[in-house]
Amino acid sequence: MTPVLYIVIPCYNEQEVLPITAPQFLAKIRQLTEAGKIAEESRVLFVNDGSKDRTWEIIRELAASDEHYLGISQSRNRGHQNAVLAGLMEAKDRCDITISIDCDGQDDINAMDAMVDEYLSGSEVVYGVRESRETDTFFKRTTAQGFYKFLSMMGAEVVYNHADYRLISARVLKEFAKFEEVNLFLRGLVPLVGFKSSSVYYKRAERLAGESHYPLRKMIALAVDGITSLSVKPLHLITGFGVFVAFLSFVGVLWALITALGGHTVAGWASTTCIVCFVSGVQLICLGILGEYIGKIYLEVKHRPRYIISERTWEK
Ligand code: UDP
Ligand code: MG
């Protein structure tokens, strides 16, 4: 039986690019249907992430123009990860496979053929992996590579150069729905669900229109979120560091005692100041890391809904 595919597309203030890419997604659905790889009931599902521009109106117009377009709208902007989750959760009961992709045309739509092939030959999760970053600016490229390296150093395992372009089967999504965390870092969580997976390589292009919503500030926030929601390695690191500093202090105390006993004590303002500054700096950093985790616990404990869908382009 041919699977029903839902392409899940988060959109936040994308009025410029949506009219360009939407027909491309539809053409892909048509082409895959004609090739007999997916079923006729396959759909393109847009998730409006509380856009402030005409994005939602455009999605509604698209839905009215062709039954292959569907749209849901979040009650407010909740961020990329929550938008993707909302779309995936909405799709999981209506289809056999989902492919999540950004709406800006950066991810090569043609890689979907290979993804579906991988699914048909047994993979339940297929990661879209960027082959090259030639089109990214030097800054974006190096920061993005640093991002993956740092994540894996800190014990958060992610697929290298894989963002949120991936195929997930409905079967995996039903298991994934049981992961109830509020702190979402999809590319780190999906591998934890398990099941057979594989990768498909593609070239990443430039944004077709509009601007990136991931400046450096948001990338750092995403990295911190990824690390603290997947790994406790930073806590181990600060404990190790604490032991190291304690050892240094012990040596310092010995040294102070010996010099004092030898009667060589002089007014040691510089050394005292340096030690105080260093140790208080280290303590503040460690407190900050602890704080990150406590903040995460606080958010998890409240157990607020991860997305709220306010509108759909169809009757439920
Ligand atoms: N996005 C979203 N909510 C947000 C920010 C972004 O749904 O708060 C969507 C956006 O519309 C796009 C995708 O997430 O489809 C990736 O964003 P963007 O292209 O700006 O990031 P970049 O590709 O530069 O990392
Ligand atoms: Mg983009």
Side-chain angles (χ1 to χ4, degrees), residues 213-284:
H213 303 102
Y214 272 97
L216 186 64
R217 181 177 54 81
K218 274 206 190 170
M219 274 194 31
I220 293 175
L222 187 68
V224 171
D225 253 11
I227 293 163
T228 49
S229 54
L230 291 173
S231 151
V232 289
K233 205 162 170 186
L235 295 179
H236 295 314
L237 284 180
I238 60 176
T239 315
F241 197 58
V243 172
F244 175 69
V245 172
F247 175 75
L248 278 190
S249 326
F250 178 69
V251 175
V253 169
L254 278 186
W255 168 69
L257 275 180
I258 291 167
T259 28
L261 288 177
H264 301 300
T265 36
V266 282
W269 179 82
S271 55
T272 317
T273 315
C274 290
I275 293 167
V276 170
C277 290
F278 174 71
V279 174
S280 50
V282 166
Q283 279 181 339
L284 280 182

Side-chain angles (χ1 to χ4, degrees), residues 30 53 55 132 134 139 154 184 265 293:
R30 290 234 163 89
D53 63 1
T55 302
S132 65
E134 283 150 24
F139 180 73
M154 287 293 144
L184 275 183
T265 36
Y293 282 92

Side-chain angles (χ1 to χ4, degrees), residues 14 102-107 140 204 207 211-214:
E14 301 283 12
D102 293 351
C103 74
D104 55 9
Q106 279 191 286
D107 301 317
K140 176 91 192 182
R204 186 152 159 103
R207 218 174 207 287
E211 276 177 14
S212 168
H213 303 102
Y214 272 97

Side-chain angles (χ1 to χ4, degrees), residues 108-120:
D108 182 9
I109 296 177
N110 293 320
M112 288 186 188
D113 296 72
M115 287 182 166
V116 174
D117 287 341
E118 286 290 331
Y119 169 78
L120 294 174

Side-chain angles (χ1 to χ4, degrees), residues 93-137:
D93 303 315
R94 310 164 60 96
C95 67
D96 302 304
I97 44 176
T98 61
I99 294 181
S100 53
I101 185 169
D102 293 351
C103 74
D104 55 9
Q106 279 191 286
D107 301 317
D108 182 9
I109 296 177
N110 293 320
M112 288 186 188
D113 296 72
M115 287 182 166
V116 174
D117 287 341
E118 286 290 331
Y119 169 78
L120 294 174
S121 52
S123 293
E124 300 272 345
V125 180
V126 186
Y127 301 104
V129 178
R130 287 171 209 173
E131 212 162 48
S132 65
R133 282 182 173 266
E134 283 150 24
T135 51
D136 278 353
T137 60

Side-chain angles (χ1 to χ4, degrees), residues 70-216:
L70 297 177
I72 56 176
S73 186
Q74 294 223 82
S75 58
R76 53 161 294 169
N77 179 249
R78 294 289 301 271
H80 178 204
Q81 300 288 298
N82 297 71
V84 175
L85 180 80
L88 293 178
M89 290 300 120
E90 190 73 19
K92 75 178 192 307
D93 303 315
R94 310 164 60 96
C95 67
D96 302 304
I97 44 176
T98 61
I99 294 181
S100 53
I101 185 169
D102 293 351
C103 74
D104 55 9
Q106 279 191 286
D107 301 317
D108 182 9
I109 296 177
N110 293 320
M112 288 186 188
D113 296 72
M115 287 182 166
V116 174
D117 287 341
E118 286 290 331
Y119 169 78
L120 294 174
S121 52
S123 293
E124 300 272 345
V125 180
V126 186
Y127 301 104
V129 178
R130 287 171 209 173
E131 212 162 48
S132 65
R133 282 182 173 266
E134 283 150 24
T135 51
D136 278 353
T137 60
F138 174 76
F139 180 73
K140 176 91 192 182
R141 194 167 61 225
T142 31
T143 47
Q145 270 162 4
F147 173 85
Y148 289 103
K149 297 241 164 71
F150 187 62
L151 280 180
S152 77
M153 240 167 60
M154 287 293 144
E157 282 309 321
V158 286
V159 178
Y160 187 68
N161 260 349
H162 157 69
D164 282 297
Y165 184 20
R166 72 177 87 75
L167 177 150
I168 313 181
S169 71
R171 194 172 147 214
V172 171
L173 284 175
K174 281 175 189 147
E175 298 303 325
F176 181 57
K178 297 177 194 158
F179 284 50
E180 292 188 339
E181 44 225 283
V182 185
N183 297 292
L184 275 183
F185 187 62
L186 293 173
R187 63 187 93 164
L189 289 173
V190 173
L192 295 180
V193 190
F195 291 91
K196 187 169 185 295
S197 69
S198 56
S199 297
V200 161
Y201 295 86
Y202 69 95
K203 280 207 169 64
R204 186 152 159 103
E206 269 173 79
R207 218 174 207 287
L208 291 176
E211 276 177 14
S212 168
H213 303 102
Y214 272 97
L216 186 64

